Each structure stands twice: as structure tokens, then as C-alpha cells.
Amino acid sequence: MTLARLAALHGVATAYSPSPGVTVPVPDATVVAVLASLDVDASTPAAVDAALAAAEGARAARLLPPTVVVWQGDEPAGRPRPVAALPAGTALRIALEDGGTAESPVPWAQLPPGVHALEARAPDGRAARATLVVAPARVPQPAEPCHGVLVQLYSLLSARSWGMGDLGDLRELAGWAGRALGSGFVQVNPLHAAVPGTPTDPSPYRPSSRRFPDPVHLRIEDVPEFAYVSGAGRAELDALAGRAGELRDGVLRKGELIDRDAVWVLKRRALEIIGTVPLGPGRRAAFDAFRAAQGQALEDHATWCALVERYGADRAQWPEGLRDPRSAATGRARAELEDRVAFHRRAAWLTDEQLAAAARTAREAGMAVGVVHDLAVGVHPDGADAWAQAGAYARGMSVGAPPDAFNARGQDWGLPPWRPDALAASGYAPYRDLLRSLFRHAGALRIDHVMGLFRLWWVPAGLPPTEGAYVRYDADAMLAVLALEAHRAGAAVIGEDLGTVEPGVRDVLRRRGVFGTSVMWFERDWEGTRRPLPPEAWRADCVATATTHDLPSTAARLSGEHVELRHRLGLLARPLEEERAEDAGDVAEWLAYLRGLGLLEEGAARDEEAEIRAVYRFLRRTPARMTGVWLPDAVGDRRPQNLPGTWDQYPNWRLPVAGADGRPVTLEELAASPRLHALMAALDVPEARTAPPDARRG
């Protein structure tokens, strides 16, 4: 079929397999809409014929694809395939990123890692240029197996937080976990900039920008200029701190939810006051260096923030000329709003500084990996990145997931996908810049839905998720850029590869040194006995854990409370008794297996704390290179941070870490919790100090 051939040339799948042996065709209307978002007209049979002829002709005539990848030590005979296919006698020249050059015959094996420019000139006079990505064969690996803690940063309040966990708390957590618990890493949620509004979308996985962190995470008192505010400014700062204390006490003592908007109102005003203090020469030089290094990306981000303050977060309501970041109208608005643009530039710098301080503390505390940052799968369609890099995103499309056994309606995440053709044409510049910004202060990077490096499910606007289509990306190039930037940073990479994974994807990720994510309850011998997978049969290249932010806590799973919660919210697909029975059977089988391994003592009465300790002892028995302890598990928290399938029905992303009794636990209380220390001791991790005997039980 002509439409199918045209779609294949542009990486658009015309069918998908929700389960082995099942193939579902994609509606033609979907294929036509997806191609249109790639600027390919397939609206009529004549248009399809013309587009196919143009695409096939362009492919036949080109000497090189837009981006060429060389994996060090990987290529047969040293030459990448696109180069090997060039006509005999083609002259090559490579402009290296450090300013050097290499010409025919190219010493492929000796090329340094980097992003270079490749030029080819064929004997028939044709010429071509391509971006040449030379990448190490594997991303860096942790020096030795280690354990660490996983936490949603906003949920971990200390006695000094302004209503939500912040970068000061992250610094304290890293220093304590590294020194007192022997932890090798701290993994947090995405700290990306959010889309402002009332209320702000609290999900860290639907940000305005993935390139810049959100200053709502700042610890105000840690900004150096804070100490030099005096007079009326000092009095106002003290008043703001008092109001922040009320927010904190509301969350910790009165059962209130974390209110990101209220926190930002206070912090924004505090930063405005602090901004009246001139920077000293050294601080000014540091700020100027940051601004120069971030370049146009920072100017765009700060401009967008200022425009949102003036015109609101709905870009459709902006004056027409401001929808283009390069328009004359935007230039005039930037100049008019320079005070606010400057404010957001400085806020981005201050946040970057505190991220650096947290990373430095983790290293000084002896962490083998350090802070693990999280990369969301996409950005908000009205956010800063989608505005500044509009050409890199597919118009009228949203990322989601096809129907499967767990969700017959599929999913629409409301995130515009990157255009694979635009990425390739730019030498993956937007992707490279994004990774570089995230690796700046990361010991490792977790990539949400890592399968998106291979393909994403695109849902055309106005259609249900069931009528989407997979669009393929150049996974070789995506992984090469990832490996290169990880190599530059000396950082590991963790892929969230839970759920439906295309055959072969995990093998490719393993080959490139990208860790996977293994959750105990899902690890069974699915191809054989379907019983719990023995610890020795687990993969080594993974983060092994008991749960994630989207799953029930271990206490909730052991007790079955997560089933009751989903029942109350109308989320069960089957009768309550069936769900209860299946869940109880699953838990009972795992507990029996843990007893059989000698990890859980036999007893007439169940002991939840002992069972949680057994779960994590089991994880440490696997060969996993990284073991993640969900910090709320350490104090018996029963509430999930996010309950997929809910919006207003459940307070997603707004709950503080709490103990088994439902009472919020501060960072200071958590650090002194005998329950936490008993869990960490069960992991056979030597502790530098023990909890005080009178510490409150978590």
C-alpha cells in the first residue's frame, strides 16, 4: 500500500502489537494526521503519490544522512555504515569539535569522542555535510554495587523548609545518607521548571522546561546575598519566613497538602528583596559565566517566564507576535520586561548553584554515585521549551501509550513529542543541550519511559489514545548522544523500562550500559513457572527496588490497602473481592518465598516491619548494581505519591512523607527513626552512628 510505504519512510508505524501474536492496524486517518505533523501531505491519493516520490527521490540522491554515528570500538573495519556505502573515491573531511581536522583516509578508530562535522564529496560532484557523533561504546558504570534512597523531594520537609522539600533538604539528605547510612546515591523526582498558573500542575512529569530547574526548590536562606539584606527588606524577609513557617506547620501538623503555588509566592517575593543586594565581584563573575554558558536558551527561558507573568500561561491568549521567540514583537517585549527577565535569569543561576552544592555534598559524603536526577519524557505544550523550540516539536500531537491489558483506553499524557526529522537535521542539538544541562550536577540520570528513545506513541489532537500510532526515532543516534554526554559528565544512566517494552530494546540498552529498573513484585519467571524470580536470576544492570512513585508503598501492598484505595476511587476493573483475592495471593506467595530463603522468620502473627526488611534484604541479595530504598517505606508510609488514573480524586504530588500512623515525618525525625535504622541495618550496611534511644518511632 502506498500510504504504508510513505509512512515507513518517515518512521510512522501502520500497525502495532499490544500483546504477542496480536496485531492491530492503525487507522489511515491517524497515519495521515501524523504525517501532516511532519510536514508530509498525505491527504489525497495524489498527494500520497507525490510525497512518496519526493521522499524516495531524496533518499536515493543523498550521500549522507543528516547525522552519522560512530561507536568507539564498535564499527567493523572502523567505518560507519553510511560512509561505507558512499561511492568509491569519495573524499572525506572531518572538522573536529576541538578545532582539529581529519581527512581521507579517516582514522576512524582514533577519532575522539565528540560532536564533529563530516563532509563528503563524491567523484560525480555531489557534496554533503552531516553531524558526526563519536561516542564511547558504553555509558560510565558505578565503581561497585551500592544502595541508595529514592524520594520525591517536595515531599521531604525539614524544620527549615518553606512548605515543601527544597534543595537545602536535598543537601542535608545527601550528607546524612552518605555518612550515616553508607548510601551510594539519592534519587529524586524531576526538578524541572513547572508551568505557572493557578493552580500549577503539581506533576513533576509535565514541566514547562526540562532544560532549567524550578526556583521553587531554592533554600532562600542559603542564597549568599540573603545575609546582607537589612532595614525594611530584612523585616519583610522575616515576615515571609514567618508565613513560610505557617505553611510548613500546616503540612506537618494540620494535615494540609503541599501548596507549591503558595510556596512560590513567598519565595518569589523573597528573591525580589534579595535581588536588591548587589553581587560582589566574584559572584558577578560567576553569574556572568553562567549566563554566557547557557546562552540563548537562558534568555528564552527567562523571557518566557516574564511573558507569562504579564500575559498568563495560556499562550493562545498572548498577542500574536509574542508566540514566536524570534519575532520583533518578542524582542520589544523582552526589552520592556528586562527587570523581570533579569529576575528569572538570576533565579535560574541561584538554583543551579544550589544543585551544585547538593551534588558536592553527596560526593564529600562518600557517595559512589551521588545525586540521581530524573528526566521527564516530555514538556507541557504551552511551556517554555515548546515555545522556544517550536520547530523541534510535532504540532497537534501528544505522547501517550496504546491500549494494553491494564488500560483498554490507552493513555494520553498531554506532552508534544519531538520530531525525529528535526532532531536529526539539527545534529540532535536540542537533545544534546538538554542532556548537558541535566548532567551538570548529576551522578546519574534516570530517564522516564526510556523506551521513548526508540519509539513513542503519538496521539493526534481530537482523537482518543486508542487511535494513535508509534513513531520511530533513530535509537542509535539517541543512545550515542546519551552515551557521549554521560561520558563527558562521568555519570551513569538509569532507564525506567517498566511495562510494555518492544522486543530487543532491553538488549540494546544493556549493550550500551544503560541500567534498567526492576521492581520486586513484577519480577517473576513469566516464561516458565510464573513464580517469584530467584534473586540470582535477576539482571545485574538495574536499579532494584520495591516500589516507585507511581506504585503502592510496600506497607500498602503488604496490607492490601492499595486495593481498598483504588476501590474507593472507582479505579478497579474487576469486582473488589476478585482484586482482593488476587492481591492477597500475590503477597502471600512472595512472603512464603522470602521465608523459604531465610529472609523472614516464621511466626504466627504477621509483622509488617519485619516483612519490609525482608523485602529489602531480598533486593540486596540480587546482583543488581544499585538497590533503591523508597524512603517512605523506611517509616511505613501507606500513601502513594501518585495514583495513575486520578486527577482531583486524589492529592497526587502533594503529600508529605508520613509514618505508619499517617502523621507527616520531618527530615530530622526520619533521620532519628529507629524503624529506618533497623531497615538499613538489615541491609548489612555499617552505620557511622545509631539513632538516639529516645528517638520517635517512624
Side-chain angles (χ1 to χ4, degrees), residues 594-601 610 613-615 617-619 621:
L594 295 176
R595 289 190 191 95
L597 292 174
L599 300 175
L600 181 62
E601 293 183 7
R613 289 195 296 270
V615 164
R617 274 199 295 260
F618 172 87
L619 294 175
R621 184 173 286 193

Side-chain angles (χ1 to χ4, degrees), residues 35-50:
L35 287 171
S37 74
L38 297 172
D39 299 325
V40 178
D41 183 4
S43 58
T44 66
V48 170
D49 290 340

Side-chain angles (χ1 to χ4, degrees), residues 455-518:
R455 64 179 185 176
L456 283 172
W457 183 256
W458 288 22
V459 181
L463 294 181
T466 52
E467 296 181 26
Y470 275 116
V471 176
R472 187 161 297 282
Y473 293 77
D474 184 342
D476 203 42
M478 298 287 278
L479 285 168
V481 172
L482 176 63
L484 174 62
E485 296 303 332
H487 168 75
R488 296 190 205 264
V493 178
I494 301 158
E496 185 273 298
D497 58 347
L498 302 174
T500 303
V501 182
E502 186 181 10
V505 164
R506 287 195 176 104
D507 292 336
V508 174
L509 294 174
R510 183 184 305 113
R511 181 184 180 193
R512 297 306 174 198
V514 177
F515 285 4
T517 301
S518 293

Side-chain angles (χ1 to χ4, degrees), residues 212 215 284 287 290-292 294-295 297-303 305-306 334-335 337-352:
F212 291 96
R284 170 58 63 182
F287 176 45
F290 174 79
R291 185 175 174 183
Q294 299 302 313
L298 176 60
E299 296 304 304
D300 288 341
H301 180 71
T303 300
C305 292
R334 181 184 290 116
L337 299 171
E338 173 55 28
D339 285 351
R340 298 309 300 168
V341 174
F343 169 83
H344 291 290
R345 283 193 208 105
R346 185 158 161 170
W349 169 59
L350 294 174
T351 312
D352 183 81

Side-chain angles (χ1 to χ4, degrees), residues 652-667:
N652 296 318
W653 318 112
R654 290 173 286 172
L655 293 171
V657 175
D661 58 2
R663 187 162 72 88
V665 179
T666 66
L667 174 57

Side-chain angles (χ1 to χ4, degrees), residues 56 171 345 406 412 503 581-582 657:
E56 291 179 336
R171 182 169 44 79
R345 283 193 208 105
F406 302 100
D412 184 342
E582 180 175 304
V657 175

Side-chain angles (χ1 to χ4, degrees), residues 333-676:
R334 181 184 290 116
E336 180 185 345
L337 299 171
E338 173 55 28
D339 285 351
R340 298 309 300 168
V341 174
F343 169 83
H344 291 290
R345 283 193 208 105
R346 185 158 161 170
W349 169 59
L350 294 174
T351 312
D352 183 81
E353 283 199 318
Q354 292 194 7
L355 285 168
R360 187 165 55 250
T361 295
R363 291 193 301 270
E364 292 170 350
M367 286 190 165
V369 175
V371 179
V372 181
H373 286 287
D374 199 349
L375 172 62
V377 71
V379 295
H380 194 286
D382 283 334
D385 286 359
W387 175 72
Q389 299 178 318
Y393 292 94
R395 298 185 307 277
M397 294 290 140
S398 178
V399 173
D404 57 28
F406 302 100
N407 193 328
R409 295 188 297 270
Q411 300 175 56
D412 184 342
W413 302 333
L415 308 169
W418 262 334
R419 289 181 54 155
D421 57 338
L423 286 178
S426 69
Y428 292 83
Y431 178 52
R432 285 190 276 121
D433 292 344
L434 169 62
L435 291 176
R436 202 164 298 164
S437 69
L438 290 165
F439 276 126
R440 279 172 60 81
H441 308 304
L445 180 65
R446 175 190 180 272
I447 299 179
D448 193 43
H449 193 68
V450 71
M451 297 80 80
L453 299 180
F454 295 76
R455 64 179 185 176
L456 283 172
W457 183 256
W458 288 22
V459 181
L463 294 181
T466 52
E467 296 181 26
Y470 275 116
V471 176
R472 187 161 297 282
Y473 293 77
D474 184 342
D476 203 42
M478 298 287 278
L479 285 168
V481 172
L482 176 63
L484 174 62
E485 296 303 332
H487 168 75
R488 296 190 205 264
V493 178
I494 301 158
E496 185 273 298
D497 58 347
L498 302 174
T500 303
V501 182
E502 186 181 10
V505 164
R506 287 195 176 104
D507 292 336
V508 174
L509 294 174
R510 183 184 305 113
R511 181 184 180 193
R512 297 306 174 198
V514 177
F515 285 4
T517 301
S518 293
V519 177
M520 189 191 82
W521 305 99
F522 302 152
E523 292 296 317
R524 289 176 172 270
D525 180 11
W526 296 112
E527 302 300 321
T529 66
R530 302 181 73 84
R531 292 180 56 78
L533 193 66
E536 64 273 12
W538 281 45
R539 53 182 173 173
D541 47 350
C542 75
V543 174
T545 185
T547 189
T548 74
H549 58 266
D550 283 335
L551 296 172
S553 69
T554 305
R557 188 174 289 275
L558 290 169
S559 66
E561 287 188 21
H562 70 107
V563 176
E564 306 300 323
L565 173 62
R566 289 164 54 225
H567 171 65
R568 290 196 301 273
L569 296 175
L571 298 176
L572 296 183
R574 297 181 299 171
L576 174 60
E577 291 308 318
E578 285 186 29
E579 293 279 357
R580 278 177 176 161
E582 180 175 304
D583 184 70
D586 184 56
V587 169
E589 185 176 22
W590 269 104
L591 292 179
Y593 187 61
L594 295 176
R595 289 190 191 95
L597 292 174
L599 300 175
L600 181 62
E601 293 183 7
E602 297 283 352
R606 288 185 57 182
D607 181 339
E608 178 189 290
E609 289 188 42
E611 290 170 357
I612 292 176
R613 289 195 296 270
V615 164
Y616 281 100
R617 274 199 295 260
F618 172 87
L619 294 175
R620 286 288 275 173
R621 184 173 286 193
T622 73
R625 299 281 291 172
M626 298 173 71
T627 303
V629 177
W630 178 240
L631 203 55
D633 275 355
V635 289
D637 199 343
R638 280 170 152 65
R639 302 176 302 182
Q641 282 295 311
N642 178 52
L643 191 59
T646 63
W647 183 249
D648 292 334
Q649 309 99 305
Y650 186 81
N652 296 318
W653 318 112
R654 290 173 286 172
L655 293 171
V657 175
D661 58 2
R663 187 162 72 88
V665 179
T666 66
L667 174 57
E668 293 85 357
E669 291 169 329
L670 189 145
S673 166
R675 178 168 179 164
L676 178 144

